[in-house]
Amino acid sequence: MDLSKTIVLFDVDGTLTKSRLSVTEEMDSLLGELKKKVKVGLVGGSDLGKIAEQMSPKALDAEQAIYEVVNKYDYVFSENGLIAYEAGKLVGKKSMLGVIGEEKCQRFINFCLRYLGGIEIPVKRGNFIEFRTGMINVCPIGRTCSQEERLQFAAYDEQHKVRETMVSALKAEFGSEFGLQYSLGGQISIDCFPVGWDKTFCLQYVEAKFDRIYFFGDRTFPGGNDYELFADPRTIGHSVTSPEHTQQLLQELFFSS
Ligand code: M1P
């Protein structure tokens, strides 16, 4: 296989790392080997700070982690590619606020806060709404929960569909008026962004340059934040169940002769 015009894109949480945890040394070194063969890019739903923290675990501080990750990988697309880095340089930045405006943003946030104030779940912590550059992340348990509380909520949500129910409420409230799209990005939250600003957004930076665009993600089901990029005809999508599964597929695809 001619790999010179091949790029491999990876989701981060659940694909390269366990949710919100650091990359293992084994995965880090496998990605290092892969980079010798093909171009490699990250496409995370999270903001750049979180991706950098997870993918540059040895960095001393947040700034250094960002510097390291954007220079280590050929492309780093955070917030679905709304913030795009190529070879260490910022090449694109989209603002959700710029598109929907302050008034709609406030109506949206106020609705979320009222909705979250009206539900009861086993545990609530802090930071329920994270306002990012390209999206608003809404988290019923609160992003400051511990790792243990995160896993407990994820299991509870699986059973009680807290996030799915909230997405239905958001759709009923805002319909197509706000032009927003919702995805269950990771384990505990909902990513809310303008329609079309899903992970396929990143393809504009790579589609003309590569003949083969692989994508590995774990949330590849409809409603998951890897779905659109996984299903896009421009990519060769691979659905994985864990970082170990990603490693196994990489070995089979790129390292077995
Ligand atoms: O995996 C990507 C997602 O990671 C986090 O999700 P959660 O905290 O729900 O596990 C968030 O940063 C989310 O925006 C992102 O899509």
Side-chain angles (χ1 to χ4, degrees):
M1 192 190 342
D2 173 21
L3 295 178
S4 62
K5 293 196 97 184
T6 294
I7 183 164
V8 186
L9 300 174
F10 295 97
D11 162 54
V12 178
D13 283 309
T15 300
L16 294 181
T17 72
K18 291 208 164 76
S19 269
R20 292 294 299 120
L21 296 182
S22 294
V23 67
T24 61
E25 279 186 24
E26 206 183 343
M27 177 67 90
D28 192 45
S29 89
L30 183 60
L31 293 174
E33 291 304 309
L34 185 65
K35 274 169 36 192
K36 294 177 188 166
K37 293 174 179 271
V38 291
K39 299 286 185 203
V40 174
L42 310 179
V43 196
S46 293
D47 56 78
L48 183 58
K50 292 191 187 69
I51 293 176
E53 181 191 14
Q54 289 172 249
M55 296 304 292
S56 313
K58 292 189 186 136
L60 297 176
D61 59 37
E63 207 175 311
Q64 190 197 3
I66 289 175
Y67 179 83
E68 277 187 20
V69 80
V70 299
N71 284 287
K72 187 167 182 177
Y73 295 98
D74 300 293
Y75 295 86
V76 178
F77 300 116
S78 57
E79 301 187 37
N80 293 350
L82 303 173
I83 314 295
Y85 278 83
E86 179 177 353
K89 296 210 164 39
L90 182 68
V91 291
K93 190 174 182 176
K94 290 287 271 184
S95 148
M96 173 166 166
L97 183 61
V99 169
I100 78 166
E102 182 61 35
E103 194 238 322
K104 282 187 174 165
C105 259
Q106 279 204 33
R107 274 172 60 197
F108 183 79
I109 289 171
N110 288 345
F111 177 85
C112 290
L113 290 172
R114 277 196 302 272
Y115 182 94
L116 293 174
I119 59 168
E120 282 188 18
I121 49 179
V123 155
K124 278 190 190 175
R125 294 298 176 251
N127 192 10
F128 300 96
I129 311 270
E130 191 168 85
F131 192 83
R132 299 179 183 164
T133 310
M135 66 168 72
I136 292 177
N137 180 264
V138 180
C139 182
I141 180 176
R143 300 206 62 81
T144 55
C145 63
S146 66
Q147 183 65 16
E148 198 186 340
E149 289 161 347
R150 159 182 281 273
L151 296 179
Q152 282 165 358
F153 177 80
Y156 181 86
D157 186 55
E158 189 76 35
Q159 209 186 338
H160 297 273
K161 309 289 177 209
V162 178
R163 292 184 296 167
E164 267 183 52
T165 310
M166 182 164 182
V167 167
S168 301
L170 289 168
K171 286 182 177 164
E173 178 71 15
F174 298 109
S176 55
E177 187 203 348
F178 277 38
L180 293 181
Q181 189 177 332
Y182 311 99
S183 80
L184 305 188
Q187 290 179 306
I188 57 169
S189 61
I190 304 166
D191 290 335
C192 314
F193 46 82
V195 171
W197 290 16
D198 52 62
K199 287 189 179 182
T200 57
F201 195 86
C202 77
L203 289 175
Q204 63 192 280
Y205 298 103
V206 294
E207 63 181 324
K209 296 181 184 159
F210 299 96
D211 293 338
R212 295 168 80 82
I213 303 172
Y214 286 86
F215 173 61
F216 290 75
D218 67 321
R219 303 190 72 82
T220 53
F221 48 84
N225 73 339
D226 294 326
Y227 173 70
E228 291 86 359
L229 190 53
F230 167 75
D232 193 287
R234 291 168 289 181
T235 65
I236 304 164
H238 287 276
S239 185
V240 300
T241 52
S242 63
E244 293 73 22
H245 188 199
T246 305
Q247 284 173 216
Q248 181 202 324
L249 289 180
L250 289 178
Q251 291 288 358
E252 287 167 15
L253 280 164
F254 297 103
F255 295 99
S256 64
S257 47

